[in-house]
Amino acid sequence: MKTAANGFGKSVMDPSRREGWWNRRIVLMVYVALELVTVHSPAVLGTLELQLDEEQPAGTIVGDISAGLPPGITASLYFISDHEGTGVGSDLDIDESTGIIKTAKVLDRELRDRYNFIAVTMTGVTVEQTRRGSNEFLYLDLVVNAILDREKRSTYTLSLEAFDGGSPKRTDQMTLDITVQDINDNAPVFNQSRYHAIISENLQPGSNILQVFATDADEGDNGMVLYEINRRQSDPERYFVIDSRTGIITLNKPLDFEMRRVHELVVQAQDNATQPEVTNAFVTIHVRDYNDNQPTMTIIFLSEDGSPRVSEGAQPGQYVARISVTDPDYGEYANVNVSLEGGDGKFALTTKDSIIYLICVDQILDREERDAYELRVMATDSGTPPLRAESSFVIQVIDINDNPPLFDRPVYRQVIPEVVFPGSFVLQVTARDKDHGPNGDINYSILQDKGAYSNWFSIESVTGIITTLSQLDYEKNPNPSITVVATDGGKPPLSSTAVVDIVLQDINDNEPVFERNFYNVSIKENTDPGTCILEVSRVTQAG
């Protein structure tokens, strides 16, 4: 390919060869405008003539626009001006940054043998009287040679003047109003980069929380701002929703301060363009506690088996139970007051840190007086209205062996015949013990005293029934007396005694017996009649 550049120079060719050569060549004329040209001064143009064989594949390099610039002139950006129907936009691929021209498809000389367009550098707006139609009308090209910004200036008014070359010249003028159409070159801008709100955890779903606001300097759909919450980065549980048009953030479902106290939202504003611009803002929502949780209590009883019980021998100040109190609420609602009711003053509540409370014995206990006390512990927080937790339980008073068995009477008396068979019933003694369980179980026994003939009798250890153990003998002891012992099952055991007096009834169970088997008496012959000459005696046994 041959290139003619730097002005309007053309290459010279042999006429005989020129016809066939042109039959295969496509001519591309490029006019390179360097600065603002008005009708009062001729255009400063560089002309570049490029030629290319037809039927070359798409992407074939045709030339470089910068070759048409005057010496010493460079350009980093070109604005391409062509008209509909010229084929430039559809058949050629022009890089506006480098100025390289390539074919966009396979060109056919029979369909089009010439392409014309103007390339304008970054020097201003250029108007050229560039071509004249068959009807002798002069067509003008208005070229942008600086960056436009609709947001700074959306309209321009140009005054155009046309004049001929006569003398005097004849002129005509026209006013051209130019409206710059918007492109989506501005992203939405929030009125603040971070938003804050404080709400109560009892706020009802559907309540409005705050409104974000963003503006977009573009117009139409390019400037229409739509809002949404970025769920990938925040609030996947959808506690909050946002109105896409107004930017109002609304509570979507109930909050729980105890689960989360702060919610961070990423709100994005995007315009409604085909390729939208997006801007993010951050919303911090603090949840204020509401008294929606009642206190909780954990009670641990300090007995050996962990049951609610205390020994009746416990001294004042001895601990009975440990109570820990918590409240899931925060701040003032977590202040819990604990009180104790019941127990008839026998128990008291104490604490050192208002978290751990202890129930202790406050007065001496007596199981025989009362063996159980119903207590109620109440924990009340400081909310309005206050919430309360309570627990009721019964403290069992456990027996200790502090009471001995007591007989119904201190002395028992019974009359029986002296002749009864061994094992015969004599009487039954009864003792009672106020203690409980083994401490109140009673066993009976006879205190052994040989001189009292206690071995004549026996007693059944459980029932207290006294029976004869051997033959009784009135003549040996008409009033035998025994001591009965009642002993409980405590450790150590306690006991008491009672006396049983027994009166034996005599029966005729013995013959008379003389003191001697032989008596010898002497008497005078003159002894008067009636005189006692011998006195004999006999031993008479009772019965």
Short mmCIF file of all heavy atoms in Angstrom, two decimals, residues 399-424:
data_model
loop_
_atom_site.label_atom_id
_atom_site.label_comp_id
_atom_site.label_asym_id
_atom_site.label_seq_id
_atom_site.Cartn_x
_atom_site.Cartn_y
_atom_site.Cartn_z
N ASP A 399 -34.45 -35.79 112.21
CA ASP A 399 -34.39 -36.07 113.63
C ASP A 399 -32.97 -36.36 114.10
O ASP A 399 -32.17 -36.96 113.37
CB ASP A 399 -35.29 -37.27 113.93
CG ASP A 399 -35.33 -37.61 115.41
OD1 ASP A 399 -35.71 -36.73 116.19
OD2 ASP A 399 -34.97 -38.75 115.76
N ILE A 400 -32.67 -35.94 115.33
CA ILE A 400 -31.51 -36.42 116.05
C ILE A 400 -32.01 -37.06 117.34
O ILE A 400 -33.14 -36.79 117.80
CB ILE A 400 -30.50 -35.29 116.36
CG1 ILE A 400 -31.14 -34.24 117.28
CG2 ILE A 400 -29.97 -34.67 115.08
CD1 ILE A 400 -30.16 -33.21 117.78
N ASN A 401 -31.24 -37.90 117.97
CA ASN A 401 -31.68 -38.63 119.16
C ASN A 401 -31.53 -37.73 120.40
O ASN A 401 -30.58 -37.87 121.19
CB ASN A 401 -30.87 -39.91 119.32
CG ASN A 401 -31.49 -40.86 120.32
OD1 ASN A 401 -32.71 -40.83 120.54
ND2 ASN A 401 -30.68 -41.71 120.94
N ASP A 402 -32.49 -36.86 120.54
CA ASP A 402 -32.44 -35.92 121.66
C ASP A 402 -33.56 -36.16 122.67
O ASP A 402 -33.77 -35.36 123.58
CB ASP A 402 -32.50 -34.48 121.17
CG ASP A 402 -33.76 -34.20 120.35
OD1 ASP A 402 -34.45 -35.16 119.95
OD2 ASP A 402 -34.05 -33.01 120.11
N ASN A 403 -34.29 -37.28 122.53
CA ASN A 403 -35.35 -37.62 123.48
C ASN A 403 -35.22 -39.08 123.91
O ASN A 403 -35.17 -39.97 123.05
CB ASN A 403 -36.73 -37.40 122.85
CG ASN A 403 -37.03 -35.94 122.61
OD1 ASN A 403 -37.44 -35.22 123.51
ND2 ASN A 403 -36.83 -35.50 121.36
N PRO A 404 -35.20 -39.35 125.23
CA PRO A 404 -35.17 -40.74 125.69
C PRO A 404 -36.58 -41.32 125.68
O PRO A 404 -37.57 -40.58 125.67
CB PRO A 404 -34.63 -40.63 127.11
CG PRO A 404 -35.13 -39.30 127.57
CD PRO A 404 -35.10 -38.40 126.36
N PRO A 405 -36.69 -42.64 125.68
CA PRO A 405 -38.03 -43.23 125.82
C PRO A 405 -38.60 -42.90 127.20
O PRO A 405 -37.88 -42.83 128.19
CB PRO A 405 -37.76 -44.73 125.69
CG PRO A 405 -36.42 -44.84 125.06
CD PRO A 405 -35.65 -43.64 125.52
N LEU A 406 -39.92 -42.71 127.26
CA LEU A 406 -40.60 -42.41 128.53
C LEU A 406 -41.73 -43.41 128.73
O LEU A 406 -42.57 -43.60 127.83
CB LEU A 406 -41.14 -40.98 128.52
CG LEU A 406 -40.11 -39.85 128.43
CD1 LEU A 406 -40.81 -38.49 128.36
CD2 LEU A 406 -39.15 -39.90 129.62
N PHE A 407 -41.72 -44.07 129.95
CA PHE A 407 -42.80 -45.02 130.27
C PHE A 407 -44.09 -44.27 130.58
O PHE A 407 -44.08 -43.08 130.96
CB PHE A 407 -42.39 -45.87 131.48
CG PHE A 407 -41.40 -46.95 131.13
CD1 PHE A 407 -40.04 -46.76 131.31
CD2 PHE A 407 -41.85 -48.17 130.61
CE1 PHE A 407 -39.14 -47.77 131.00
CE2 PHE A 407 -40.94 -49.17 130.31
CZ PHE A 407 -39.59 -48.97 130.49
N ASP A 408 -45.17 -44.99 130.38
CA ASP A 408 -46.47 -44.40 130.70
C ASP A 408 -46.55 -44.01 132.19
O ASP A 408 -47.23 -43.05 132.54
CB ASP A 408 -47.60 -45.39 130.38
CG ASP A 408 -47.74 -45.59 128.88
OD1 ASP A 408 -47.17 -44.76 128.12
OD2 ASP A 408 -48.38 -46.55 128.46
N ARG A 409 -45.94 -44.82 133.06
CA ARG A 409 -45.94 -44.55 134.50
C ARG A 409 -44.59 -44.99 135.06
O ARG A 409 -43.96 -45.89 134.51
CB ARG A 409 -47.09 -45.28 135.18
CG ARG A 409 -47.01 -46.79 135.10
CD ARG A 409 -48.25 -47.48 135.59
NE ARG A 409 -49.33 -47.38 134.60
CZ ARG A 409 -50.43 -48.12 134.67
NH1 ARG A 409 -50.61 -48.94 135.70
NH2 ARG A 409 -51.37 -48.03 133.76
N PRO A 410 -44.20 -44.41 136.16
CA PRO A 410 -42.89 -44.80 136.73
C PRO A 410 -42.94 -46.12 137.47
O PRO A 410 -41.93 -46.82 137.55
CB PRO A 410 -42.57 -43.64 137.67
CG PRO A 410 -43.89 -43.07 138.04
CD PRO A 410 -44.77 -43.23 136.86
N VAL A 411 -44.13 -46.50 138.02
CA VAL A 411 -44.25 -47.74 138.79
C VAL A 411 -45.48 -48.49 138.30
O VAL A 411 -46.56 -47.89 138.18
CB VAL A 411 -44.36 -47.46 140.31
CG1 VAL A 411 -44.54 -48.78 141.06
CG2 VAL A 411 -43.13 -46.72 140.81
N TYR A 412 -45.28 -49.77 138.04
CA TYR A 412 -46.40 -50.65 137.67
C TYR A 412 -46.62 -51.63 138.84
O TYR A 412 -45.66 -52.02 139.53
CB TYR A 412 -46.08 -51.43 136.39
CG TYR A 412 -45.95 -50.59 135.14
CD1 TYR A 412 -44.76 -49.94 134.84
CD2 TYR A 412 -47.03 -50.46 134.28
CE1 TYR A 412 -44.65 -49.19 133.69
CE2 TYR A 412 -46.92 -49.70 133.12
CZ TYR A 412 -45.72 -49.07 132.82
OH TYR A 412 -45.61 -48.32 131.69
N ARG A 413 -47.85 -52.03 139.08
CA ARG A 413 -48.18 -52.99 140.16
C ARG A 413 -49.13 -54.04 139.61
O ARG A 413 -50.10 -53.70 138.92
CB ARG A 413 -48.82 -52.28 141.34
CG ARG A 413 -49.02 -53.18 142.58
CD ARG A 413 -49.52 -52.32 143.75
NE ARG A 413 -49.64 -53.09 144.96
CZ ARG A 413 -50.70 -53.82 145.29
NH1 ARG A 413 -51.74 -53.86 144.48
NH2 ARG A 413 -50.74 -54.50 146.44
N GLN A 414 -48.82 -55.32 139.98
CA GLN A 414 -49.64 -56.41 139.46
C GLN A 414 -49.71 -57.52 140.54
O GLN A 414 -48.69 -57.85 141.17
CB GLN A 414 -49.05 -56.99 138.17
CG GLN A 414 -49.84 -58.10 137.58
CD GLN A 414 -51.18 -57.64 137.01
OE1 GLN A 414 -52.00 -57.08 137.74
NE2 GLN A 414 -51.39 -57.87 135.71
N VAL A 415 -50.91 -58.07 140.76
CA VAL A 415 -51.14 -59.16 141.72
C VAL A 415 -51.38 -60.42 140.93
O VAL A 415 -52.25 -60.45 140.04
CB VAL A 415 -52.33 -58.86 142.65
CG1 VAL A 415 -52.57 -60.03 143.60
CG2 VAL A 415 -52.10 -57.57 143.42
N ILE A 416 -50.61 -61.49 141.32
CA ILE A 416 -50.78 -62.79 140.63
C ILE A 416 -50.64 -63.89 141.68
O ILE A 416 -49.97 -63.72 142.71
CB ILE A 416 -49.73 -62.97 139.52
CG1 ILE A 416 -48.31 -62.95 140.11
CG2 ILE A 416 -49.88 -61.93 138.42
CD1 ILE A 416 -47.24 -63.27 139.11
N PRO A 417 -51.28 -65.02 141.43
CA PRO A 417 -51.10 -66.15 142.36
C PRO A 417 -49.68 -66.67 142.27
O PRO A 417 -49.04 -66.57 141.23
CB PRO A 417 -52.10 -67.17 141.88
CG PRO A 417 -52.76 -66.63 140.67
CD PRO A 417 -52.22 -65.30 140.36
N GLU A 418 -49.24 -67.24 143.38
CA GLU A 418 -47.87 -67.72 143.38
C GLU A 418 -47.70 -68.97 142.54
O GLU A 418 -46.59 -69.31 142.13
CB GLU A 418 -47.38 -67.98 144.81
CG GLU A 418 -48.08 -69.15 145.51
CD GLU A 418 -47.40 -69.55 146.81
OE1 GLU A 418 -46.15 -69.53 146.83
OE2 GLU A 418 -48.11 -69.86 147.76
N VAL A 419 -48.79 -69.68 142.31
CA VAL A 419 -48.69 -70.89 141.52
C VAL A 419 -49.23 -70.59 140.13
O VAL A 419 -50.43 -70.54 139.89
CB VAL A 419 -49.49 -72.05 142.17
CG1 VAL A 419 -49.36 -73.30 141.30
CG2 VAL A 419 -48.98 -72.33 143.57
N VAL A 420 -48.32 -70.32 139.21
CA VAL A 420 -48.66 -70.15 137.78
C VAL A 420 -47.59 -70.87 136.98
O VAL A 420 -46.47 -71.11 137.46
CB VAL A 420 -48.70 -68.66 137.38
CG1 VAL A 420 -49.87 -67.94 138.02
CG2 VAL A 420 -47.38 -67.97 137.70
N PHE A 421 -47.93 -71.24 135.81
CA PHE A 421 -46.98 -71.96 134.97
C PHE A 421 -45.96 -70.97 134.39
O PHE A 421 -46.29 -69.80 134.09
CB PHE A 421 -47.70 -72.68 133.83
CG PHE A 421 -48.56 -73.81 134.30
CD1 PHE A 421 -49.96 -73.69 134.35
CD2 PHE A 421 -47.97 -75.00 134.71
CE1 PHE A 421 -50.74 -74.74 134.78
CE2 PHE A 421 -48.77 -76.06 135.14
CZ PHE A 421 -50.16 -75.92 135.19
N PRO A 422 -44.74 -71.38 134.22
CA PRO A 422 -43.75 -70.53 133.56
C PRO A 422 -44.25 -70.11 132.17
O PRO A 422 -44.81 -70.93 131.43
CB PRO A 422 -42.51 -71.41 133.47
CG PRO A 422 -42.65 -72.38 134.59
CD PRO A 422 -44.14 -72.64 134.70
N GLY A 423 -44.04 -68.84 131.82
CA GLY A 423 -44.53 -68.30 130.54
C GLY A 423 -45.87 -67.63 130.66
O GLY A 423 -46.42 -67.14 129.67
N SER A 424 -46.41 -67.61 131.92
CA SER A 424 -47.71 -66.97 132.10
C SER A 424 -47.57 -65.45 132.01
O SER A 424 -46.56 -64.85 132.42
CB SER A 424 -48.29 -67.37 133.46
OG SER A 424 -48.50 -68.76 133.51
#
